[in-house]
Amino acid sequence: MANTMTNAPGEAAGTEAKARKNIVARMFPWLVLLMLAALVVAPIFSLVAGSFSLSRLPNEFALDNLGFDNFYAVWIEQRIDRVIWNTTIYVIGATVFGVTTAGVLAWLVERSDMPGKTWIYAGVPLGIAVPGILHAIAWVLLLSPRSGFVNRAWMDVTGSNAPLFDIYTMGGLIFAEGLRLVPVAFLMLVPLMRSMDPAMEEAAAASGASPSRVVRRITLALLMPGVLAISIFQAITAMENFEVPGVLGMPVNLHVFSTRVYNLIDNIGSIPAFGQANAAAIFYLVIALIISFFYLRLVRSSERYSTITGKGFTPRKVPLGRWRKPALALALLFLFMTIVLPFLVLLYVSLLNYLRPPSLEAFKSFTLQNYENVFAQPRVARTLFNTIYVTLLTATTVTVVSFLISYIIVRTRFAGRYVLDMLSFLPHAIPGIVLGLALFWLFMQIDEWTGLRTFGSIYALVLGFTILFLSYAVRAMSVAMIQVHPDLEDAAKLSGAAPWRIALRVFGPLLMPTLVGIWIYVAMLSVRFISLPLILSQGGNNEVLGVMIWSLWDNGNISSVGAIGIMLMSFMFALALGLRAFGFGSQRGSAL
Amino acid sequence: MIRIEDLHVRFDSDKGTVHAVKGVNLDVAAGEFYTLLGPSGCGKTTTLRCLAGLERPTGGRITSGNTVVHDSDRGVSVPTYKRDIGMVFQSYAIWPHLTVFENVAFPLREVRPKIAEEEISNRVSKALELVQLGGYESRPAPFLSGGQQQRLALARAIVREASVVLFDEPLSNLDAKLRAETRLELRNLVKRLGMTALYVTHDQTEALTMADRVAIMREGQIVQEASPTEIYNRPNSRFVASFIGQCNFADGKVRDKMNGSGVGQLETEWGALQFSGDSDADVGTSVIAAVRPENVRLVATGADGTAEGEVVETVFLGECIECRVRVGDADLVARVHPRDAVDVGQRTGVEIRPEDVALLSS
């Protein structure tokens, strides 16, 4: 009795500390939820508010100057219906072309006896490393109607007046963007094909179905829900893309949503119409949200069809017979067109003193002058520094934040985890240009109220990128975490490890490939993404490489574009090889 | 009905070439239920898949019915879909995008010339009735329980009324109780339909209870082929004896050849032992004596000619008690009825009938 009396005060202090710890632990998920909600909702709110603003400039926003005029103007005067139509054709065309190409490549690599498969398997995802803007510029240099190298050669050889193919058309847009979709679609399709129980097909063969009937009635039918989900995912990507339509469509007034929104605030010879841009962006956002909603529903319902049994399969390889070599040639042609060709074209122009078609004299005149010029400019050094700074900061922030969010979603019974899940997916539906515009409004307002200089700062870019790339990272992270069986943690718990020790010694090492993979992938995205920084860049303070390439291209400084592009691509290839080294490709594929 | 001659299969794996099947020969009569039994990796599934045409043999000849479906020497290889077979897969391979009805109707729809829709419907219903899945026709296949999926796979395999039906460990994904029920049902169904069955399993109970004939495989070869009773009572090697059921082994020497009454004498680690049967081992040959635990009887000590030992361990198994008895230098496990319980430390006599001793070459 005496003993318990003397111990009482100490115990009370202990429970008090414990209670305080409990409150922190319980508050933490709410804090994360709140932070995420602020990140997602605040920009959208300012976007919506701005769309009703009739003031000329965002910082003149006033509650007594609101109305629906912007929506009217966008619909009637700007003919947004035409943009919707263009966007539809462009998105469907690019998606069908891209996913079909990826499907053929994935099938050849996974299910056929094509020679050299490992090289194709390693090569296709490398396409991620070619930034969209450089990809589009390379195709312009090859296929622009008058001066494109290929068209020029065609006209010289045949004496024809008409170009072989004009890249500044809807067809060109679909072609260039379709090729860009292939690497990620390929990474998503490969695990889909790999996870299919080959016994499904064998059972059909044993039931008397001929090989072609097996493909039609079983293989395709089983893959269909997954392929549909991947197609919608790719359609969202195509719709969000700004770089390719920006380079190929905008110069000839062939507008899709992303370029139209940008065009409304940045058009030489006309006053920026910020309110109208917001109104157009809202149409854009609503369509993107609707498609994303269908995507989510499809993914949920297609889980019913899941044929994954967790077994290691060694599916039979379909013998191609005499088609083996043509198949390999086709795959190599793809690699050449998406990776080698853009690099060679840019390398070529970067070594010329003025732009001219390839010839022996042109090769003789090669010079490193452009590289020297580029490095002589202080602007380049500053831009390079900005790019690296933004990339490192974004990749680290996204990795840490997505880890926290995924942990709460996957491993806790936090009441708001479904909301958290939804909120973290939402940014995926926000096109980069729209988020750029939304943040532009938000930062203008913040600066107006507080007198800070958030707009035009480098952190504005980091924040924007973080919101944009969070959904990729959270999905990849969640999938990886689900694969770590809870028993592994429970075993550590029973061995007496404290929660942070479990995170450090069990969870961390098991997830390390994913963490590194996400870090590198986000780094690559931040380097190649242009739409958002294009709107948020203000002078040299936060100019990044992508924006500089864009403005150099706009000014017709092709040699510098070539020189900087080659440096950028080399850097991206290094990152891509790092990504491969961690075997992240297939994991992420299944995550998206 | 099924004849496999000198079948060889080699795989190219990351670790070099694997010789999975090394010269398998077997002959299954029409209507026979034939089982390939062996540990995992022994080549039994590969052999079955060769018969189905899902795996390409490196050498040998396979005949099914009157057709040569594979002959490596003559370069003959009939593709799977042209072979007259039905097959039940270990993972069932139920197509998730089709209903129960359409899963079963699939093989019928592939028949050329086409079968009338009405007949398809009749035959599917009949097959589903046979496996007791009548009334589930319109259900999406993934919404069936494990046992139902298993029966659906069976219905699909028999609906075409192929002459040969192949089973690749079809019961291994069921729980123990369901497995026991399904074993007999499955055998009866196959027998009733008069089909020839080739059944692959690693479960000895399945092999013993279902098969007309069992072939034990090890490392790509058949080591013994006989009826279940024969395999159990007269295993020809230590591997077979220990793979099927439990067995006591003791090293020994033949002391007396079999005499006129068919009984010989052994000197073993357990002491003197009598044996009978068709062994023609000479005096002085080293042999292994194999005795099943249920054939060891514990008797009162002091009887004439019986070995004696001390009970060192007893394990209660419900329907019986396993007693480990130290006899001489070696242990002997006896399985006794719980009524005849003995205590640890007790001395006991051990009686083994001559016909229950199997001699294996050492």
Side-chain angles (χ1 to χ4, degrees), chain A residues 197 199-211 213-214 217-218 221-222 304-307 309 311 316, chain B residues 49 53-54 80-81 85-87 89-91 93-98 102 106-107 109-110 112 142-143 156 160:
Chain A
D197 186 350
M200 299 275 180
E201 288 158 303
E202 291 171 357
S207 302
S210 67
R213 299 267 301 165
V214 174
R217 289 199 60 192
I218 304 298
L222 282 173
R304 221 156 36 96
Y305 279 104
S306 170
T307 53
T309 58
K311 269 174 62 175
R316 278 193 312 159
Chain B
R49 289 170 63 84
L54 297 170
T80 302
Y81 72 99
I85 49 170
M87 184 163 172
F89 290 80
Q90 185 176 12
S91 62
I94 299 297
W95 299 302
H97 60 302
L98 302 178
E102 281 303 324
F106 189 99
R109 293 199 195 284
E110 297 298 330
R112 295 291 176 277
F143 293 163
R156 187 177 63 189
R160 207 158 49 136

Short mmCIF file of all heavy atoms in Angstrom, two decimals, chain A residues 197 199-211 213-214 217-218 221-222 304-307 309 311 316, chain B residues 49 53-54 80-81 85-87 89-91 93-98 102 106-107 109-110 112 142-143 156 160:
data_model
loop_
_atom_site.label_atom_id
_atom_site.label_comp_id
_atom_site.label_asym_id
_atom_site.label_seq_id
_atom_site.Cartn_x
_atom_site.Cartn_y
_atom_site.Cartn_z
N ASP A 197 -2.58 -14.92 -65.84
CA ASP A 197 -2.32 -16.35 -65.67
C ASP A 197 -2.35 -17.04 -67.03
O ASP A 197 -3.39 -17.08 -67.68
CB ASP A 197 -3.42 -16.92 -64.76
CG ASP A 197 -3.14 -18.37 -64.41
OD1 ASP A 197 -2.22 -18.96 -65.01
OD2 ASP A 197 -3.83 -18.90 -63.53
N ALA A 199 -2.49 -19.97 -67.70
CA ALA A 199 -3.42 -21.11 -67.71
C ALA A 199 -4.75 -20.71 -68.33
O ALA A 199 -5.47 -21.56 -68.86
CB ALA A 199 -3.62 -21.62 -66.29
N MET A 200 -5.11 -19.41 -68.25
CA MET A 200 -6.35 -18.94 -68.87
C MET A 200 -6.33 -19.22 -70.37
O MET A 200 -7.34 -19.62 -70.95
CB MET A 200 -6.49 -17.43 -68.68
CG MET A 200 -6.55 -17.02 -67.25
SD MET A 200 -8.22 -17.15 -66.65
CE MET A 200 -7.98 -16.61 -64.99
N GLU A 201 -5.18 -18.96 -70.98
CA GLU A 201 -5.07 -19.19 -72.42
C GLU A 201 -4.90 -20.67 -72.71
O GLU A 201 -5.45 -21.18 -73.68
CB GLU A 201 -3.88 -18.40 -72.99
CG GLU A 201 -4.16 -16.92 -73.04
CD GLU A 201 -2.87 -16.11 -73.07
OE1 GLU A 201 -2.05 -16.25 -72.16
OE2 GLU A 201 -2.69 -15.35 -74.02
N GLU A 202 -4.16 -21.35 -71.86
CA GLU A 202 -3.95 -22.78 -72.06
C GLU A 202 -5.27 -23.54 -71.96
O GLU A 202 -5.52 -24.48 -72.71
CB GLU A 202 -2.95 -23.31 -71.03
CG GLU A 202 -1.54 -22.80 -71.26
CD GLU A 202 -0.60 -23.15 -70.13
OE1 GLU A 202 -1.05 -23.74 -69.12
OE2 GLU A 202 0.58 -22.82 -70.24
N ALA A 203 -6.10 -23.09 -71.01
CA ALA A 203 -7.40 -23.75 -70.86
C ALA A 203 -8.22 -23.58 -72.13
O ALA A 203 -8.95 -24.49 -72.52
CB ALA A 203 -8.15 -23.16 -69.66
N ALA A 204 -8.10 -22.41 -72.76
CA ALA A 204 -8.84 -22.19 -74.00
C ALA A 204 -8.31 -23.09 -75.10
O ALA A 204 -9.08 -23.69 -75.86
CB ALA A 204 -8.74 -20.73 -74.42
N ALA A 205 -6.98 -23.24 -75.16
CA ALA A 205 -6.39 -24.12 -76.17
C ALA A 205 -6.82 -25.56 -75.91
O ALA A 205 -7.18 -26.28 -76.84
CB ALA A 205 -4.87 -24.01 -76.14
N ALA A 206 -6.82 -25.96 -74.65
CA ALA A 206 -7.24 -27.31 -74.31
C ALA A 206 -8.73 -27.51 -74.57
O ALA A 206 -9.21 -28.63 -74.64
CB ALA A 206 -6.92 -27.62 -72.85
N SER A 207 -9.48 -26.40 -74.67
CA SER A 207 -10.90 -26.50 -74.99
C SER A 207 -11.14 -26.51 -76.49
O SER A 207 -12.28 -26.48 -76.94
CB SER A 207 -11.67 -25.32 -74.39
OG SER A 207 -11.50 -25.28 -73.01
N GLY A 208 -10.06 -26.47 -77.26
CA GLY A 208 -10.20 -26.58 -78.69
C GLY A 208 -10.18 -25.27 -79.44
O GLY A 208 -10.53 -25.23 -80.62
N ALA A 209 -9.78 -24.16 -78.78
CA ALA A 209 -9.75 -22.88 -79.48
C ALA A 209 -8.41 -22.71 -80.18
O ALA A 209 -7.36 -22.93 -79.58
CB ALA A 209 -9.97 -21.74 -78.48
N SER A 210 -8.46 -22.30 -81.44
CA SER A 210 -7.23 -22.10 -82.21
C SER A 210 -6.52 -20.85 -81.67
O SER A 210 -7.14 -20.02 -81.03
CB SER A 210 -7.56 -21.91 -83.68
OG SER A 210 -8.27 -20.70 -83.85
N PRO A 211 -5.20 -20.72 -81.94
CA PRO A 211 -4.45 -19.59 -81.38
C PRO A 211 -5.11 -18.24 -81.63
O PRO A 211 -5.17 -17.40 -80.72
CB PRO A 211 -3.10 -19.70 -82.09
CG PRO A 211 -2.94 -21.14 -82.36
CD PRO A 211 -4.32 -21.66 -82.66
N ARG A 213 -8.24 -17.60 -82.13
CA ARG A 213 -9.47 -17.51 -81.31
C ARG A 213 -9.11 -17.26 -79.84
O ARG A 213 -9.82 -16.55 -79.14
CB ARG A 213 -10.28 -18.80 -81.43
CG ARG A 213 -10.73 -19.11 -82.84
CD ARG A 213 -12.09 -18.57 -83.15
NE ARG A 213 -13.12 -19.10 -82.26
CZ ARG A 213 -14.32 -18.55 -82.15
NH1 ARG A 213 -14.62 -17.48 -82.86
NH2 ARG A 213 -15.21 -19.08 -81.34
N VAL A 214 -8.01 -17.87 -79.39
CA VAL A 214 -7.58 -17.66 -78.00
C VAL A 214 -7.27 -16.18 -77.78
O VAL A 214 -7.71 -15.58 -76.80
CB VAL A 214 -6.33 -18.51 -77.66
CG1 VAL A 214 -5.81 -18.16 -76.28
CG2 VAL A 214 -6.67 -19.98 -77.73
N ARG A 217 -10.81 -14.27 -77.97
CA ARG A 217 -11.85 -14.53 -76.95
C ARG A 217 -11.32 -14.48 -75.54
O ARG A 217 -12.08 -14.27 -74.59
CB ARG A 217 -12.50 -15.89 -77.23
CG ARG A 217 -13.36 -15.85 -78.47
CD ARG A 217 -14.33 -17.00 -78.49
NE ARG A 217 -15.24 -17.01 -77.36
CZ ARG A 217 -16.01 -18.04 -77.03
NH1 ARG A 217 -15.97 -19.13 -77.76
NH2 ARG A 217 -16.80 -17.97 -75.99
N ILE A 218 -10.03 -14.72 -75.34
CA ILE A 218 -9.49 -14.75 -73.97
C ILE A 218 -8.51 -13.60 -73.73
O ILE A 218 -8.76 -12.72 -72.91
CB ILE A 218 -8.79 -16.10 -73.68
CG1 ILE A 218 -9.76 -17.25 -73.93
CG2 ILE A 218 -8.25 -16.12 -72.27
CD1 ILE A 218 -10.99 -17.27 -73.06
N ALA A 221 -9.95 -10.08 -74.40
CA ALA A 221 -11.10 -9.85 -73.52
C ALA A 221 -10.64 -9.63 -72.09
O ALA A 221 -11.17 -8.78 -71.37
CB ALA A 221 -12.06 -11.04 -73.59
N LEU A 222 -9.61 -10.39 -71.67
CA LEU A 222 -9.13 -10.24 -70.29
C LEU A 222 -8.35 -8.95 -70.12
O LEU A 222 -8.40 -8.33 -69.06
CB LEU A 222 -8.23 -11.42 -69.92
CG LEU A 222 -8.95 -12.71 -69.57
CD1 LEU A 222 -7.97 -13.84 -69.39
CD2 LEU A 222 -9.77 -12.53 -68.30
N ARG A 304 -12.16 -6.19 -60.11
CA ARG A 304 -12.96 -7.41 -60.09
C ARG A 304 -12.39 -8.44 -61.08
O ARG A 304 -12.48 -9.63 -60.88
CB ARG A 304 -14.39 -7.06 -60.48
CG ARG A 304 -15.44 -7.77 -59.70
CD ARG A 304 -16.75 -7.01 -59.68
NE ARG A 304 -17.04 -6.33 -60.91
CZ ARG A 304 -17.81 -6.83 -61.87
NH1 ARG A 304 -18.31 -8.02 -61.76
NH2 ARG A 304 -18.08 -6.11 -62.93
N TYR A 305 -11.86 -7.91 -62.16
CA TYR A 305 -11.36 -8.78 -63.21
C TYR A 305 -9.94 -9.24 -62.93
O TYR A 305 -9.38 -9.97 -63.71
CB TYR A 305 -11.34 -8.05 -64.55
CG TYR A 305 -12.67 -8.01 -65.23
CD1 TYR A 305 -13.44 -6.86 -65.24
CD2 TYR A 305 -13.17 -9.15 -65.86
CE1 TYR A 305 -14.66 -6.83 -65.87
CE2 TYR A 305 -14.38 -9.12 -66.49
CZ TYR A 305 -15.13 -7.95 -66.50
OH TYR A 305 -16.32 -7.92 -67.12
N SER A 306 -9.40 -8.74 -61.82
CA SER A 306 -7.99 -8.97 -61.56
C SER A 306 -7.63 -10.44 -61.75
O SER A 306 -8.22 -11.33 -61.18
CB SER A 306 -7.67 -8.54 -60.14
OG SER A 306 -6.38 -8.96 -59.80
N THR A 307 -6.64 -10.67 -62.60
CA THR A 307 -6.23 -12.04 -62.85
C THR A 307 -4.91 -12.33 -62.16
O THR A 307 -4.28 -13.33 -62.39
CB THR A 307 -6.08 -12.29 -64.35
OG1 THR A 307 -5.21 -11.29 -64.88
CG2 THR A 307 -7.39 -12.26 -65.05
N THR A 309 -2.59 -13.64 -59.58
CA THR A 309 -2.69 -14.64 -58.53
C THR A 309 -1.44 -14.68 -57.67
O THR A 309 -1.34 -15.48 -56.77
CB THR A 309 -2.92 -16.04 -59.12
OG1 THR A 309 -1.84 -16.32 -60.00
CG2 THR A 309 -4.22 -16.12 -59.88
N LYS A 311 1.42 -15.61 -58.42
CA LYS A 311 2.36 -16.67 -58.73
C LYS A 311 3.36 -16.18 -59.76
O LYS A 311 3.06 -15.29 -60.53
CB LYS A 311 1.62 -17.88 -59.29
CG LYS A 311 1.21 -18.86 -58.22
CD LYS A 311 0.35 -19.96 -58.80
CE LYS A 311 1.07 -20.77 -59.84
NZ LYS A 311 0.25 -21.90 -60.32
N ARG A 316 4.25 -19.04 -72.00
CA ARG A 316 4.87 -19.52 -73.22
C ARG A 316 5.06 -18.34 -74.17
O ARG A 316 4.23 -17.46 -74.25
CB ARG A 316 3.97 -20.55 -73.88
CG ARG A 316 4.13 -21.92 -73.26
CD ARG A 316 3.47 -22.93 -74.14
NE ARG A 316 2.12 -22.51 -74.52
CZ ARG A 316 1.48 -22.99 -75.57
NH1 ARG A 316 2.06 -23.87 -76.35
NH2 ARG A 316 0.25 -22.59 -75.85
N ARG B 49 1.82 -31.79 -69.25
CA ARG B 49 1.71 -30.68 -70.20
C ARG B 49 2.18 -31.09 -71.60
O ARG B 49 1.71 -30.53 -72.59
CB ARG B 49 2.47 -29.46 -69.69
CG ARG B 49 1.79 -28.81 -68.47
CD ARG B 49 2.68 -27.75 -67.84
NE ARG B 49 2.95 -26.66 -68.76
CZ ARG B 49 2.14 -25.62 -68.96
NH1 ARG B 49 1.01 -25.55 -68.29
NH2 ARG B 49 2.46 -24.68 -69.81
N GLY B 53 0.13 -30.87 -75.03
CA GLY B 53 0.67 -30.04 -76.10
C GLY B 53 1.03 -28.65 -75.63
O GLY B 53 1.31 -27.78 -76.45
N LEU B 54 1.02 -28.44 -74.33
CA LEU B 54 1.35 -27.11 -73.81
C LEU B 54 2.86 -26.96 -73.63
O LEU B 54 3.36 -25.86 -73.47
CB LEU B 54 0.65 -26.88 -72.46
CG LEU B 54 -0.87 -26.88 -72.55
CD1 LEU B 54 -1.49 -26.89 -71.16
CD2 LEU B 54 -1.35 -25.66 -73.32
N THR B 80 -2.24 -28.04 -79.39
CA THR B 80 -3.16 -28.35 -78.29
C THR B 80 -4.62 -28.38 -78.72
O THR B 80 -5.35 -29.31 -78.41
CB THR B 80 -2.98 -27.30 -77.19
OG1 THR B 80 -1.63 -27.32 -76.76
CG2 THR B 80 -3.88 -27.60 -76.01
N TYR B 81 -5.02 -27.34 -79.49
CA TYR B 81 -6.45 -27.21 -79.74
C TYR B 81 -6.99 -28.27 -80.67
O TYR B 81 -8.19 -28.42 -80.81
CB TYR B 81 -6.78 -25.80 -80.24
CG TYR B 81 -6.35 -25.49 -81.65
CD1 TYR B 81 -7.24 -25.56 -82.71
CD2 TYR B 81 -5.05 -25.07 -81.92
CE1 TYR B 81 -6.86 -25.25 -83.99
CE2 TYR B 81 -4.65 -24.75 -83.20
CZ TYR B 81 -5.56 -24.84 -84.24
OH TYR B 81 -5.17 -24.52 -85.51
N ILE B 85 -8.79 -33.64 -75.89
CA ILE B 85 -8.54 -33.69 -74.44
C ILE B 85 -9.44 -32.71 -73.70
O ILE B 85 -9.99 -31.78 -74.27
CB ILE B 85 -7.08 -33.31 -74.09
CG1 ILE B 85 -6.71 -32.02 -74.81
CG2 ILE B 85 -6.13 -34.43 -74.44
CD1 ILE B 85 -5.40 -31.42 -74.35
N GLY B 86 -9.56 -32.95 -72.41
CA GLY B 86 -10.13 -31.96 -71.50
C GLY B 86 -9.10 -31.80 -70.41
O GLY B 86 -8.31 -32.72 -70.16
N MET B 87 -9.05 -30.61 -69.77
CA MET B 87 -8.00 -30.45 -68.77
C MET B 87 -8.50 -29.59 -67.61
O MET B 87 -9.18 -28.59 -67.81
CB MET B 87 -6.75 -29.81 -69.41
CG MET B 87 -5.59 -29.69 -68.45
SD MET B 87 -4.04 -29.41 -69.36
CE MET B 87 -2.92 -29.06 -68.02
N PHE B 89 -7.03 -27.34 -64.55
CA PHE B 89 -5.78 -26.71 -64.13
C PHE B 89 -5.72 -26.52 -62.62
O PHE B 89 -6.75 -26.41 -61.96
CB PHE B 89 -5.63 -25.34 -64.80
CG PHE B 89 -5.37 -25.44 -66.28
CD1 PHE B 89 -6.41 -25.66 -67.16
CD2 PHE B 89 -4.10 -25.31 -66.78
CE1 PHE B 89 -6.18 -25.75 -68.51
CE2 PHE B 89 -3.85 -25.40 -68.13
CZ PHE B 89 -4.90 -25.62 -69.00
N GLN B 90 -4.49 -26.45 -62.13
CA GLN B 90 -4.31 -26.26 -60.69
C GLN B 90 -4.97 -24.94 -60.25
O GLN B 90 -5.60 -24.88 -59.21
CB GLN B 90 -2.83 -26.24 -60.36
CG GLN B 90 -2.58 -26.16 -58.86
CD GLN B 90 -1.11 -26.22 -58.52
OE1 GLN B 90 -0.26 -26.10 -59.39
NE2 GLN B 90 -0.81 -26.39 -57.27
N SER B 91 -4.78 -23.88 -61.06
CA SER B 91 -5.38 -22.58 -60.70
C SER B 91 -6.80 -22.46 -61.23
O SER B 91 -7.39 -21.40 -61.18
CB SER B 91 -4.52 -21.46 -61.26
OG SER B 91 -4.48 -21.54 -62.67
N ALA B 93 -8.07 -21.74 -63.78
CA ALA B 93 -8.12 -20.97 -65.03
C ALA B 93 -9.55 -20.72 -65.48
O ALA B 93 -9.90 -20.89 -66.63
CB ALA B 93 -7.33 -21.68 -66.14
N ILE B 94 -10.38 -20.33 -64.52
CA ILE B 94 -11.75 -19.93 -64.86
C ILE B 94 -11.68 -18.53 -65.45
O ILE B 94 -11.09 -17.64 -64.86
CB ILE B 94 -12.62 -19.90 -63.58
CG1 ILE B 94 -12.69 -21.28 -62.94
CG2 ILE B 94 -14.01 -19.37 -63.90
CD1 ILE B 94 -13.34 -22.32 -63.79
N TRP B 95 -12.29 -18.34 -66.62
CA TRP B 95 -12.20 -17.02 -67.26
C TRP B 95 -13.09 -16.04 -66.53
O TRP B 95 -14.32 -16.21 -66.49
CB TRP B 95 -12.60 -17.14 -68.72
CG TRP B 95 -11.68 -18.06 -69.47
CD1 TRP B 95 -10.33 -17.92 -69.59
CD2 TRP B 95 -12.02 -19.26 -70.16
NE1 TRP B 95 -9.81 -18.96 -70.32
CE2 TRP B 95 -10.82 -19.80 -70.68
CE3 TRP B 95 -13.22 -19.92 -70.38
CZ2 TRP B 95 -10.80 -20.96 -71.41
CZ3 TRP B 95 -13.18 -21.09 -71.13
CH2 TRP B 95 -11.99 -21.60 -71.63
N PRO B 96 -12.50 -14.99 -65.98
CA PRO B 96 -13.29 -14.09 -65.13
C PRO B 96 -14.25 -13.20 -65.90
O PRO B 96 -15.14 -12.61 -65.32
CB PRO B 96 -12.21 -13.25 -64.42
CG PRO B 96 -11.02 -13.31 -65.31
CD PRO B 96 -11.09 -14.64 -66.02
N HIS B 97 -14.06 -13.10 -67.22
CA HIS B 97 -14.94 -12.20 -67.96
C HIS B 97 -16.17 -12.92 -68.51
O HIS B 97 -16.98 -12.32 -69.19
CB HIS B 97 -14.17 -11.53 -69.11
CG HIS B 97 -13.60 -12.50 -70.10
ND1 HIS B 97 -12.72 -13.50 -69.73
CD2 HIS B 97 -13.78 -12.63 -71.43
CE1 HIS B 97 -12.39 -14.20 -70.80
NE2 HIS B 97 -13.02 -13.70 -71.85
N LEU B 98 -16.28 -14.22 -68.22
CA LEU B 98 -17.43 -14.98 -68.71
C LEU B 98 -18.26 -15.49 -67.54
O LEU B 98 -17.76 -15.68 -66.44
CB LEU B 98 -16.95 -16.16 -69.56
CG LEU B 98 -16.07 -15.84 -70.78
CD1 LEU B 98 -15.65 -17.12 -71.47
CD2 LEU B 98 -16.82 -14.93 -71.75
N GLU B 102 -21.12 -19.57 -69.82
CA GLU B 102 -20.24 -19.34 -70.96
C GLU B 102 -18.88 -20.02 -70.78
O GLU B 102 -18.26 -20.42 -71.75
CB GLU B 102 -20.06 -17.84 -71.20
CG GLU B 102 -21.23 -17.19 -71.94
CD GLU B 102 -21.52 -17.86 -73.29
OE1 GLU B 102 -20.56 -18.27 -73.96
OE2 GLU B 102 -22.71 -17.99 -73.64
N PHE B 106 -17.78 -22.73 -73.61
CA PHE B 106 -16.63 -22.35 -74.45
C PHE B 106 -16.12 -23.49 -75.34
O PHE B 106 -16.01 -23.33 -76.55
CB PHE B 106 -15.51 -21.78 -73.57
CG PHE B 106 -14.38 -21.17 -74.32
CD1 PHE B 106 -14.31 -19.79 -74.49
CD2 PHE B 106 -13.38 -21.95 -74.88
CE1 PHE B 106 -13.27 -19.22 -75.19
CE2 PHE B 106 -12.34 -21.38 -75.59
CZ PHE B 106 -12.29 -20.01 -75.74
N PRO B 107 -15.81 -24.66 -74.75
CA PRO B 107 -15.27 -25.74 -75.60
C PRO B 107 -16.26 -26.15 -76.69
O PRO B 107 -15.84 -26.50 -77.80
CB PRO B 107 -15.05 -26.88 -74.61
CG PRO B 107 -14.94 -26.24 -73.28
CD PRO B 107 -15.84 -25.04 -73.33
N ARG B 109 -18.45 -24.22 -78.19
CA ARG B 109 -18.52 -23.19 -79.22
C ARG B 109 -17.34 -23.25 -80.17
O ARG B 109 -17.35 -22.64 -81.23
CB ARG B 109 -18.58 -21.80 -78.59
CG ARG B 109 -19.86 -21.55 -77.81
CD ARG B 109 -20.09 -20.08 -77.59
NE ARG B 109 -21.10 -19.85 -76.57
CZ ARG B 109 -22.41 -20.01 -76.78
NH1 ARG B 109 -22.84 -20.42 -77.95
NH2 ARG B 109 -23.26 -19.80 -75.79
N GLU B 110 -16.27 -23.94 -79.75
CA GLU B 110 -15.10 -24.03 -80.62
C GLU B 110 -15.18 -25.22 -81.56
O GLU B 110 -14.30 -25.43 -82.37
CB GLU B 110 -13.82 -24.12 -79.78
CG GLU B 110 -13.56 -22.89 -78.92
CD GLU B 110 -13.37 -21.62 -79.77
OE1 GLU B 110 -12.90 -21.73 -80.91
OE2 GLU B 110 -13.73 -20.52 -79.28
N ARG B 112 -16.15 -27.36 -84.71
CA ARG B 112 -16.54 -27.08 -86.08
C ARG B 112 -16.91 -28.39 -86.75
O ARG B 112 -16.17 -29.36 -86.63
CB ARG B 112 -15.43 -26.38 -86.86
CG ARG B 112 -15.09 -24.99 -86.33
CD ARG B 112 -16.24 -24.01 -86.61
NE ARG B 112 -15.96 -22.70 -86.02
CZ ARG B 112 -16.18 -22.36 -84.75
NH1 ARG B 112 -16.71 -23.24 -83.92
NH2 ARG B 112 -15.91 -21.17 -84.31
N PRO B 142 -16.19 -15.17 -61.35
CA PRO B 142 -15.37 -14.85 -60.17
C PRO B 142 -16.18 -14.89 -58.87
O PRO B 142 -15.61 -14.90 -57.79
CB PRO B 142 -14.87 -13.42 -60.44
CG PRO B 142 -15.03 -13.22 -61.89
CD PRO B 142 -16.19 -14.06 -62.30
N PHE B 143 -17.53 -14.91 -58.98
CA PHE B 143 -18.35 -14.90 -57.76
C PHE B 143 -18.64 -16.30 -57.24
O PHE B 143 -19.62 -16.52 -56.55
CB PHE B 143 -19.67 -14.15 -58.02
CG PHE B 143 -19.49 -12.69 -58.26
CD1 PHE B 143 -20.48 -11.92 -58.85
CD2 PHE B 143 -18.30 -12.05 -57.90
CE1 PHE B 143 -20.30 -10.57 -59.09
CE2 PHE B 143 -18.10 -10.71 -58.13
CZ PHE B 143 -19.11 -9.97 -58.73
N ARG B 156 -16.13 -27.86 -67.30
CA ARG B 156 -15.59 -27.40 -68.57
C ARG B 156 -14.73 -28.48 -69.23
O ARG B 156 -14.68 -28.60 -70.45
CB ARG B 156 -14.77 -26.13 -68.33
CG ARG B 156 -14.31 -25.46 -69.60
CD ARG B 156 -13.57 -24.18 -69.31
NE ARG B 156 -12.36 -24.43 -68.56
CZ ARG B 156 -11.61 -23.48 -68.01
NH1 ARG B 156 -12.00 -22.22 -68.10
NH2 ARG B 156 -10.52 -23.77 -67.34
N ARG B 160 -16.98 -31.46 -73.33
CA ARG B 160 -16.74 -31.82 -74.73
C ARG B 160 -16.72 -33.33 -74.92
O ARG B 160 -16.59 -33.82 -76.03
CB ARG B 160 -15.41 -31.22 -75.18
CG ARG B 160 -15.36 -30.96 -76.66
CD ARG B 160 -14.32 -29.91 -77.01
NE ARG B 160 -13.03 -30.18 -76.39
CZ ARG B 160 -11.87 -30.08 -77.03
NH1 ARG B 160 -11.87 -29.75 -78.30
NH2 ARG B 160 -10.73 -30.29 -76.41
#
